[in-house]
Amino acid sequence: MDVRVVRTDQPIYVDLDGTLIRTDLLWESVFLLARQNPLSLWRLPLWAMKGKAVLKAELARRIEFDASLLPYRQEVVEELRRARADGRRIVLATGANEVLAHAVAEHLDLFDAVMASDDAVNLTAERKLERIASIEHPDGFGYYGNSHDDVCLLDAAAAPVVVAPDRQVAQWQRGSGAPVIARDGGGLRPYLKAMRPHQWMKNLLIFVPLVMAHEFLNLPMVLDGLLAFVSFSAAASSVYLVNDLLDLTADRRHKTKRNRPFASGAVPIPGGLALAAGLLCSAFAIAALLPVAFLAMLCSYLVMTTAYSVFIKRMLLIDVIVLAALYTVRIIAGAMAADVEVSFWLLAFSIFFFLSLALVKRFTELQDFGGGAHRSKTGRGYVDVDLETIGQAGMASGFAAVTVLALYVDSSEVRHLYGEPRMMWLLCPLVLYIIVRIWILARRDQMHDDPVVFILRDWRSQIMIALGALMLLVSAYV
């Protein structure tokens, strides 16, 4: 709907959070602080006790803020540019701190003035209306708003415009007939996308100990494995949600990750936090039905992955080693849930194999950033000149995994477990095919998924996995 107003004598006041952008700068600032200066997080309650104005000011002083990365509502920006071309005076009137508000105004080069919160006044709702009303408007003013705090301003405006309204503003709009620009929709779909259900396939590793112990027909053990799978999936999704919130800046610089639900503003930050808390509680409730050892592994996973999200992912090489360990923890957790023993051979193979895949992940990320990539841009510990080293290390790690597998095939354990162990040798070329093919695709810039998810989705890899499973069955029961 075109809501242009042709009267040039009416200034337009524009709200920022939720109106001009699809996010809230207070929440954005909290997670920028968590990423850039986590040791200051303990101060948040102290600042909040002094009021929102102080909280916003203290956050603004302690973060590095790039206004160009915010998810702007382009339909609103374009509408305002047309209004300015018609001679309208446009003012950014926001409850965000003045430091951040001026950064936004400077980036857009669209506003004639800025009204914003300072150290003493949180400029929202009635306070914002009082500030605007203190200026003479003989013919009234226009106002763009979206939330319940904006109802009083929309009601007072001569030319109100509603942008992506919340429930209270939507109710007001139906009674007023005010024009609407944009409506946030999608229902639960963006939340489901933020949970990354496709990543749950990684948790199929929980069933590996059952398969290797030849207990895949033991229904009680399979049930325990299913409970462990659901518990780990819920826990992993809660971590993905928090991780995306901590990675907002890096994701918005990425050509594809900028479309993630939080980075794009499709899911509000408070909603994401509530979902993460609910998933985490569900994970522990299910884990309570399993052995205590599984619960210990789940806690270990959460500690490791949280540490990875907060700071380890920016540490050269340590990040990929921890990534490989997180995959291996899933295997150990599966063993704990079903109360079966996990062998040294399986752990050694998984470490080298998943280290290779973790290096593929870093290789493709660095490749996506292209030449000139540096740590501040990638959010990782790597730069563009590391690309070849990562590739060499990844291939070597993959070959090491195949070597461990070959040694295992020739071990006494295999001769004890399998009636025809010679059939197991065919596993080596199958795994070698998967590893080398992944690296070839990565170097061709054709690896756009997480490598583990890619293996589980790729039909060629699926054939190799099926053949490997067949070899295990034949070796065991022939």
Side-chain angles (χ1 to χ4, degrees):
M1 179 184 295
D2 189 353
V3 296
R4 289 178 60 188
V5 181
V6 296
R7 295 190 58 175
T8 61
D9 49 0
Q10 284 183 344
I12 298 176
Y13 293 89
V14 185
D15 179 50
L16 178 58
D17 295 333
T19 302
L20 186 61
I21 59 177
R22 293 185 178 88
T23 186
D24 186 304
L25 285 188
L26 176 57
W27 284 106
E28 292 263 338
S29 299
V30 169
F31 281 94
L32 279 174
L33 183 72
R35 167 59 70 198
Q36 298 170 5
N37 191 8
L39 295 180
S40 294
L41 285 175
W42 68 273
R43 299 176 181 269
L44 284 176
L46 301 179
W47 297 334
M49 289 173 62
K50 297 178 181 179
K52 269 195 171 182
V54 174
L55 174 62
K56 293 176 180 178
E58 294 290 351
L59 286 167
R61 277 193 282 266
R62 287 170 170 80
I63 61 173
E64 295 181 12
F65 176 72
D66 187 347
S68 67
L69 298 176
L70 292 175
Y72 292 95
R73 296 188 187 276
Q74 291 304 317
E75 59 269 55
V76 176
V77 173
E78 291 168 7
E79 185 65 35
L80 293 174
R81 291 198 188 283
R82 287 196 291 267
R84 193 176 190 191
D86 290 338
R88 305 287 296 277
R89 174 179 169 81
I90 303 178
V91 179
L92 180 61
T94 174
N97 182 263
E98 56 189 355
V99 174
L100 308 186
H102 280 285
V104 170
E106 182 178 351
H107 167 66
L108 292 177
D109 191 23
L110 178 64
F111 300 99
D112 298 289
V114 174
M115 290 181 178
S117 299
D118 54 26
D119 291 30
V121 177
N122 182 37
L123 198 68
T124 59
E126 286 78 10
R127 292 190 184 91
K128 188 190 293 187
L129 179 58
E130 290 173 5
R131 181 78 60 86
I132 293 174
S134 67
I135 302 172
E136 188 174 350
H137 304 104
D139 298 296
F141 62 89
Y143 185 80
Y144 285 54
N146 77 297
S147 74
H148 59 278
D149 283 339
D150 296 316
V151 170
C152 61
L153 292 126
L154 290 165
D155 204 40
V161 176
V162 173
V163 180
D166 65 11
R167 183 176 301 178
Q168 190 168 340
V169 173
Q171 184 178 358
W172 177 90
Q173 186 274 333
R174 285 192 292 270
S176 68
V180 180
I181 299 179
R183 291 184 184 274
D184 287 338
L188 297 177
R189 186 173 181 179
Y191 289 87
L192 182 62
K193 183 179 178 181
M195 291 167 59
R196 302 191 211 174
H198 62 282
Q199 298 283 4
W200 295 346
M201 288 189 289
K202 297 177 182 178
N203 298 324
L204 291 173
L205 293 169
I206 284 173
F207 296 100
V208 170
L210 278 178
V211 173
M212 300 306 294
H214 301 173
E215 296 288 356
F216 44 82
L217 297 179
N218 187 317
L219 291 182
M221 286 187 174
V222 171
L223 178 60
D224 287 341
L226 287 171
L227 290 173
F229 175 83
V230 175
S231 178
F232 246 78
S233 296
S237 287
S238 71
V239 174
Y240 292 145
L241 292 168
V242 176
N243 182 53
D244 283 353
L245 290 172
L246 292 170
D247 270 357
L248 284 173
T249 298
D251 285 352
R252 287 170 181 161
R253 289 193 176 108
H254 195 274
K255 65 182 182 181
T256 57
K257 292 181 180 180
R258 67 181 62 175
N259 297 318
R260 285 179 172 177
F262 291 118
S264 66
V267 174
I269 293 176
L273 287 174
L275 179 58
L279 287 168
L280 190 61
C281 291
S282 300
F284 277 104
I286 296 171
L289 302 174
L290 296 169
V292 176
F294 172 80
L295 181 61
M297 291 310 303
L298 180 65
C299 292
S300 299
Y301 169 81
L302 288 170
V303 170
M304 290 173 63
T305 195
T306 301
Y308 172 81
S309 299
V310 174
F311 60 89
I312 290 178
K313 66 163 53 179
R314 292 175 288 172
M315 302 173 68
L316 180 69
L317 297 181
I318 295 177
D319 62 333
V320 290
I321 293 173
V322 171
L323 268 180
L326 286 170
Y327 289 119
T328 306
V329 163
R330 289 173 166 91
I331 294 175
I332 300 174
M336 298 298 101
D339 195 22
V340 298
E341 187 176 351
V342 58
S343 72
F344 162 80
W345 293 107
L346 179 58
L347 296 180
F349 171 81
S350 66
I351 283 290
F352 285 114
F353 182 76
F354 291 116
L355 177 59
S356 181
L357 298 188
L359 288 164
V360 170
K361 185 178 177 67
R362 287 294 175 263
F363 184 92
T364 55
E365 287 175 351
L366 198 58
Q367 197 173 47
D368 285 342
F369 280 103
H374 48 82
R375 294 183 65 176
S376 61
K377 183 179 179 181
T378 64
R380 302 291 188 265
Y382 304 90
V383 296
D384 53 359
V385 297
D386 297 331
L387 201 62
E388 187 59 32
T389 302
I390 294 173
Q392 292 175 1
M395 288 290 289
S397 182
F399 292 152
V402 176
T403 301
V404 170
L405 179 58
L407 293 172
Y408 169 68
V409 170
D410 196 43
S411 69
S412 59
E413 287 91 335
V414 168
R415 289 191 291 272
H416 175 72
L417 283 172
Y418 297 91
E420 189 58 46
R422 288 174 295 180
M423 297 291 294
M424 297 279 288
W425 281 106
L426 294 175
L427 290 175
C428 295
L430 296 179
V431 174
L432 195 61
Y433 172 86
I434 291 174
I435 290 172
V436 175
R437 181 166 179 269
I438 281 179
W439 275 103
I440 288 176
L441 293 177
R443 288 184 175 275
R444 291 178 179 177
D445 197 17
Q446 296 176 2
M447 179 62 60
H448 304 299
D449 288 322
D450 181 290
V452 176
V453 176
F454 172 83
I455 289 174
L456 296 173
R457 285 178 169 177
D458 175 56
W459 66 269
R460 293 179 180 85
S461 299
Q462 290 170 356
I463 290 175
M464 297 300 110
I465 294 172
L467 288 174
L470 180 61
M471 292 304 101
L472 287 174
L473 287 172
V474 171
S475 300
Y477 297 107
V478 171

